[in-house]
Amino acid sequence: MGSLQRLGRWTLGVLERLGRGHLFLLRTLLAMGTLVRRPGLLLREIYSVGVLSLLIVAVSGLFVGMVLGYQGYITLVDFGAAEALGTVVALSLVRELGPVVTALLFAGRAGSALTAEIGLMKTTEQLSSMEMMAVDPYKRVIAPRFLAGVISMPLLAAIFSAVGVAGGYFIGVGVLGVDSGAYWSQMQASVDFHEDIMNGVIKSMVFGVVAAWIAVFEGYDATPTSEGVSRATTRTVVHTALAILALDFILTGLMFGDI
Amino acid sequence: MICARRWPPPFKPRIRTINPSPHKTPWIEIRDLHFARGERKIFDGLNITIPQGQVTAIMGPSGTGKTTLLRLIGGQLRPDHGQVLVEGQDVHRLSRRALYRLRRRMGMLFQSGALLTDLNVFDNVAFPIRENTRLPEPLVRNLVLMKLEAVGLRGAVSLMPSELSGGMARRVALARAIALDPLLMMYDEPFTGLDPITMGVIVSLIRRLNDALGMTSIVVSHDVAEASSIADWVYLISEGRVVDAGPPEQLRQDASDWSRQFLEGLPDGPVPFHYPAPDYQDDLMGGDTR
């Protein structure tokens, strides 16, 4: 088979999967109505997807903030601008690292778990049995997990950023001796609510939709074998990471680059 | 030299006039069903009639599409051509809502049981009732206990699926499948992998439930003895078509060579034991070292 044919087959495969993914998203969105009548389904998934991811997100946020504190101080002190450490830490976290790193952590912790869970439900015929019991798996399984991911992501990103700022404070003020008042006042003066915080929130919401979509779709579309579920879980992490980084570039360009 | 024979070899099925229990109303009619997975044909003009109130066994070797047939009847798969009529309704022309309404009157016992692993036995059996009705919880509880009593597992209400043996899991799945008192029960290989005692329990449960609840049952199996012992009518399928059909006793007495080989479990016959291969002696004496 010629390389052109192989390329054509690969392209058609990618397009077909993209189409399936979009139809899947449409059916998931149409199934959301159930969650208004049965919020319990959603709350349970928010606990599983969001609350159980809190620890890894908070700990990571703390370390990232502390590293930013160190690196920022080392760079700024040469220019006699150590007081601007709060600004550097906060802007880095709120604009970029908060949404991006949280989304990557989300893909690794909650996204992979969602894919594996749904993939195993498919493998063990639990989804088929639901269909035969006249229960729509989109309403009962997919929609609650998808929406839980979409809701949890911005909240987790906010927690990541807040803990990161505290970590930067601990290193900058507590260890390296930056003035506490300067740390907070510089931050307050230069971080804009609409320009910085809201753009960060929008980013994390977009990342939440993409990460949750990929996770539930990969699970539902997994080949119903142990190898198939394993591959789907890997694809979730890889595809989410790539999608997040590419989207971050586009969104940053749109929000801050005056494109 | 590699034999050029096709596996399994083609045979000319002897299709007799199939008219199961003429006094019974047909509940399911499968007409000229064609279904393929990729290049591989699963059904090639399959015709089957399932009469109301009877236990119909559909038997055939592994890989003949028995489970696929149940999924086609349940509307989980779409045929390439042909019709599946349940109570006169073409399953594959129904809207999603109408299909789900129809499924409320169907129960299916999956080969694996397919219990929801995050729910205990009670909640598994209660699942279809809670999802499809608005019955008060005390009534749901009573219904669940009645269904579990019917399969002898009322004492296991609080166990998780991981704590059940294979046979127990299948009985719980059976209790769940009959939770909404279906008119049609479909059993996918219900006897596979069970010890003799559990198998006996499942065999008798299928027959008793069918008669007691006035259901119509389809048992898909390749366990000849067990399926024949409870079936009113048997269809033998192979190569995508019905090869033989009739009451079990009649099939045994008046079977084609192929059917006799299948029913009596003979190692060789129209379906040869050996997969096409090079000459045995040549193979042993060398040649290809793979």
Side-chain angles (χ1 to χ4, degrees), chain B residues 153-258:
Chain B
L153 287 175
R154 189 166 47 81
V157 280
S158 56
L159 296 181
M160 294 301 286
S162 57
E163 297 173 291
L164 303 173
S165 68
M168 287 168 82
R170 215 165 289 177
R171 281 151 71 191
V172 173
L174 181 53
R176 186 181 66 176
I178 58 168
L180 291 174
D181 292 332
L183 294 174
L184 170 71
M185 261 305 292
M186 295 186 280
Y187 300 88
D188 184 11
E189 299 286 2
F191 315 119
T192 306
L194 297 179
D195 64 76
I197 298 172
T198 315
M199 193 186 287
V201 170
I202 295 279
V203 167
S204 96
L205 269 176
I206 292 173
R207 186 73 243 186
R208 280 198 294 130
L209 286 172
N210 187 81
D211 297 342
L213 302 178
M215 297 189 301
T216 300
S217 302
I218 304 173
V219 180
V220 148
S221 178
H222 51 226
D223 292 291
V224 175
E226 287 74 24
S228 302
S229 70
I230 50 168
D232 299 303
W233 195 268
V234 174
Y235 283 99
L236 293 180
I237 59 171
S238 181
E239 299 244 313
R241 285 166 174 269
V242 173
V243 180
D244 240 332
E249 321 79 52
Q250 188 190 322
L251 267 188
R252 282 191 182 281
Q253 289 162 9
D254 186 24
S256 65
D257 289 347
W258 185 93

Side-chain angles (χ1 to χ4, degrees), chain A residues 16 23 25 28 30 37 74 110 113 115 139 197 249 252 259:
Chain A
E16 193 238 337
L23 288 175
L25 180 64
T28 305
L30 291 174
R37 279 179 279 120
I74 291 164
T115 303
K139 291 181 180 168
I197 294 178
F249 170 70
T252 304
I259 292 175

Side-chain angles (χ1 to χ4, degrees), chain A residues 27 37-38 41 44 117 121 123-138 140 145, chain B residues 71 74 76 96 100 103-104 106 108 110-112 114-118 127-128 131-132 176 180 186 188:
Chain A
R27 276 197 68 184
R37 279 179 279 120
R38 300 180 63 184
L41 288 176
R44 200 166 54 215
E117 185 189 15
M121 287 180 85
T123 307
T124 53
E125 297 184 308
Q126 292 180 53
L127 297 181
S128 288
S129 74
M130 275 190 195
E131 284 182 357
M132 287 309 297
M133 286 186 276
V135 177
D136 188 350
Y138 278 89
R140 189 64 175 65
R145 283 163 176 77
Chain B
R71 289 183 186 276
Q76 290 187 300
R96 179 171 291 274
Y100 272 67
R103 281 180 185 163
R104 277 183 213 137
M106 294 178 173
M108 182 158 168
F110 286 79
Q111 192 175 348
S112 61
L115 295 177
L116 303 174
T117 45
D118 56 336
F127 184 81
E131 293 289 328
N132 289 302
R176 186 181 66 176
L180 291 174
M186 295 186 280
D188 184 11

Side-chain angles (χ1 to χ4, degrees), chain A residues 21-95:
Chain A
H22 280 86
L23 288 175
F24 174 86
L25 180 64
L26 183 68
R27 276 197 68 184
T28 305
L29 294 174
L30 291 174
M32 293 280 186
T34 315
L35 301 176
V36 179
R37 279 179 279 120
R38 300 180 63 184
L41 288 176
L42 178 62
L43 291 177
R44 200 166 54 215
E45 294 309 324
I46 288 179
Y47 175 79
S48 158
V49 169
V51 177
L52 295 182
S53 303
L54 256 180
L55 186 65
I56 185 176
V57 166
V59 172
S60 306
L62 183 69
F63 281 113
V64 169
M66 290 197 296
V67 169
L68 277 176
Y70 266 126
Q71 294 282 18
Y73 180 82
I74 291 164
T75 311
L76 293 170
V77 79
D78 289 343
F79 301 98
E83 287 75 19
L85 183 65
T87 306
V88 170
V89 170
L91 285 181
S92 309
L93 285 167
V94 170
R95 282 183 172 192

